[in-house]
Amino acid sequence: MNKKILALIVLLVMAGASVGTMLFFKDRVNKDKQKEQEQLDDNVLFSFDPYSPTQLVFSKGDESYTCKLDGEKWVLDSGEFAVDQTYCQLVCTYCSNLTANDSYGEITDDKLKMYGLDAPDKIEITEPKGTHTIYIGNESPTSEFYYVTVDGKKNVYAVDAQHGSVLKLDRLLIKNKELLPYTLYDLKQVTTYRDGKVLCELTYNETEDTWSLPSEYSDLTLDQTKVTSEFNNIVRIEAEEMMDEKLTDLSKYGFDKPYGEAVVKGLDGKEHRLLVSANDDDPTYCFVLVDGEQVELYYKSDLGFTQMLPYDYILQSETVKGYYDISGFTFKFQGSEDKCSLDTEEMMCTYNGKDIDFNSSEIYLAFNNFYNSFSILKYSGTDTDAKPNLKDPALSAEFELKEGGSVKIDLVKGDGTDYYVFRDGKYIGAYVDESMLTGRNSVSDFYLKFKKLTGLE
């Protein structure tokens, strides 16, 4: 046979073999890809709208909790406790597109026992298209996964432990973790106690839409914004950890000697009692006993309201009268008795018979500082139990109002550095510190500067 023809035949045979080999490997790759895709598809355990479920059933053995969607709120059908809304929605969202990390082949009795799936935790998620059921077994030895099976699939799967752990039945996960079952607009009264005595009591008036302290504080101005801001916080905080239920030994967490106590009443007529004790292991946190049963862990700062005084809720700096509202004033201080008539339109005043022109910015600033030093009361505390007598006041100022009438303020020396505040002859339940009267930037300081600058010395 011609050598060239023979060589051509050999080349054709080799080419045919190469084509055959290529086709063989291509078919094998395609089959591998198909098998891999089938595995990926099989690992998709659930696929549904995360906001479509209307019922969740958490169970293990004889223990079971059924949560139903009532309008937009999840409720426990037994009514035993309030449900954690966030947790229920997270379960729905997580399971709605749940995909396994791995598969361990078809279910057998041996595998069920090996992976803790012979007595599993179970979650049933019901939505309009049907019920999706997942069974949760043991955690893997490496703590990376939880073993699961689902209805309608034949294999044992692994889901990541971080998410799988929240699928294990735990009534404290299902239980509402909010400190209070109220919004700001559901509160009626918040009362705190110390050593068995009322520390602070705030009551909401529905008609006037305002909060108030008891009547003995009626001469002080409650800072409504401060109250609503503080209470808006306490109705939002959630426990960092749910601990013992139905606590019988108060000393276990120090509730036999709590440092904080509060009773919160709602417009629904119900009340909730809170005891707060220190966490000696980590002072960042504190323990709270809710309604005498449930122990919960919170950031200590979140329970700061249990230590707040009426003073913390009042306007701590209050102007008696601005000088645009008055026609003049009398001022008694350090043995002096001064009288001032004021004309803000003409930018001048007559002080002890001498005309003072405010067109001088230096004089105007000096007068402004002096007037504010005694017309703005900076309270340093409250004491409604005190019974001071209006005798020998350290400072008296009477403001003549343009609209008629007057307002008088007297400061009377109390204990230590305190000076009790009287308005129109009545003790208002608060006091200022002597730093208002003496020292730098005090009444005494600004009084001397004003008199020196205007030649009134």
Side-chain angles (χ1 to χ4, degrees), residues 65-224:
Y65 303 94
T66 299
C67 299
K68 295 182 178 180
L69 193 63
D70 182 7
E72 296 183 353
K73 185 177 181 180
W74 291 97
V75 297
L76 195 67
D77 67 343
S78 68
E80 181 184 359
F81 54 77
V83 171
D84 188 324
Q85 304 298 309
T86 302
Y87 174 66
C88 287
Q89 186 55 56
L90 285 175
V91 168
C92 294
T93 301
Y94 173 54
C95 290
S96 68
N97 61 354
L98 184 59
T99 301
N101 296 74
D102 205 350
S103 172
Y104 295 92
E106 292 191 11
I107 298 170
T108 65
D109 290 342
D110 288 340
K111 286 182 180 178
L112 292 178
K113 185 174 182 181
M114 179 188 306
Y115 297 128
L117 289 160
D118 52 343
D121 299 66
K122 181 171 72 170
I123 297 180
E124 299 165 82
I125 305 170
T126 300
E127 47 107 5
K129 295 181 180 179
T131 297
H132 311 277
T133 305
I134 182 170
Y135 304 87
I136 307 96
N138 293 337
E139 188 177 21
S140 68
T142 60
S143 299
E144 294 180 89
F145 307 107
Y146 272 92
Y147 304 108
V148 303
T149 59
V150 298
D151 279 354
K153 287 186 173 289
K154 61 183 180 180
N155 294 331
V156 174
Y157 303 92
V159 297
D160 70 281
Q162 182 179 359
H163 295 95
S165 63
V166 301
L167 301 179
K168 299 286 283 185
L169 178 62
D170 184 343
R171 64 181 269 130
L172 295 182
L173 281 178
I174 304 170
K175 205 171 184 181
N176 181 24
K177 297 164 190 65
E178 295 175 332
L179 177 68
L180 297 166
Y182 297 129
T183 68
L184 174 64
Y185 307 102
D186 299 321
L187 296 176
K188 174 62 179 176
Q189 188 177 74
V190 178
T191 307
T192 54
Y193 299 84
R194 179 180 292 168
D195 299 327
K197 297 180 179 179
V198 172
L199 185 66
C200 183
E201 180 180 279
L202 286 155
T203 305
Y204 178 65
N205 185 311
E206 294 179 73
T207 304
E208 298 180 3
D209 189 25
T210 57
W211 288 87
S212 65
L213 288 162
S215 59
E216 56 264 36
Y217 296 93
S218 59
D219 291 311
L220 299 169
T221 304
L222 189 65
D223 187 341
Q224 298 290 329

Side-chain angles (χ1 to χ4, degrees), residues 31-71:
K31 288 181 179 179
D32 287 345
K33 286 184 177 180
Q34 182 179 356
K35 185 176 181 180
E36 182 180 349
Q37 186 59 50
E38 289 175 353
Q39 181 65 60
L40 291 174
D41 292 342
D42 184 62
N43 283 355
V44 177
L45 305 184
F46 297 130
S47 180
F48 57 85
D49 180 353
Y51 298 100
S52 63
T54 56
Q55 179 173 289
L56 299 171
V57 180
F58 304 87
S59 61
K60 183 181 176 77
D62 295 331
E63 186 179 5
S64 179
Y65 303 94
T66 299
C67 299
K68 295 182 178 180
L69 193 63
D70 182 7

Side-chain angles (χ1 to χ4, degrees), residues 313-451:
Y313 293 105
I314 65 169
L315 287 179
Q316 296 171 7
S317 180
E318 192 169 13
T319 300
V320 180
K321 285 295 174 182
Y323 53 74
Y324 283 97
D325 298 321
I326 68 172
S327 58
F329 62 85
T330 57
F331 179 72
K332 298 179 181 179
F333 182 61
Q334 294 180 338
S336 297
E337 183 173 345
D338 300 345
K339 186 171 181 61
C340 174
S341 61
L342 189 64
D343 189 339
T344 53
E345 291 183 3
E346 296 295 330
M347 290 294 290
M348 65 175 297
C349 76
T350 301
Y351 200 97
N352 289 346
K354 182 177 181 178
D355 292 337
I356 308 295
D357 188 351
F358 289 159
N359 286 312
S360 165
S361 59
E362 188 177 12
I363 290 177
Y364 177 75
L365 179 61
F367 176 81
N368 187 64
N369 288 338
F370 165 53
Y371 183 82
N372 287 341
S373 70
F374 66 86
S375 64
I376 299 177
L377 300 173
K378 297 180 180 179
Y379 305 125
S380 54
T382 62
D383 185 356
T384 57
D385 292 328
K387 306 296 180 184
N389 293 317
L390 181 49
K391 182 180 180 182
D392 300 325
L395 180 150
S396 293
E398 185 168 4
F399 305 84
E400 302 295 334
L401 308 181
K402 286 182 178 179
E403 60 189 26
S406 65
V407 177
K408 187 180 182 185
I409 293 296
D410 293 287
L411 302 183
V412 176
K413 184 73 170 70
D415 297 331
T417 62
D418 298 336
Y419 285 78
Y420 295 115
V421 179
F422 287 77
R423 182 186 288 118
D424 293 331
K426 178 186 176 184
Y427 172 53
I428 67 171
Y431 52 86
V432 297
D433 186 73
E434 70 176 358
S435 59
M436 175 181 169
L437 301 180
T438 61
R440 188 175 182 180
N441 296 331
S442 66
V443 173
S444 177
D445 186 25
F446 288 124
Y447 181 43
L448 292 175
K449 288 178 179 177
F450 172 67
K451 290 178 69 176

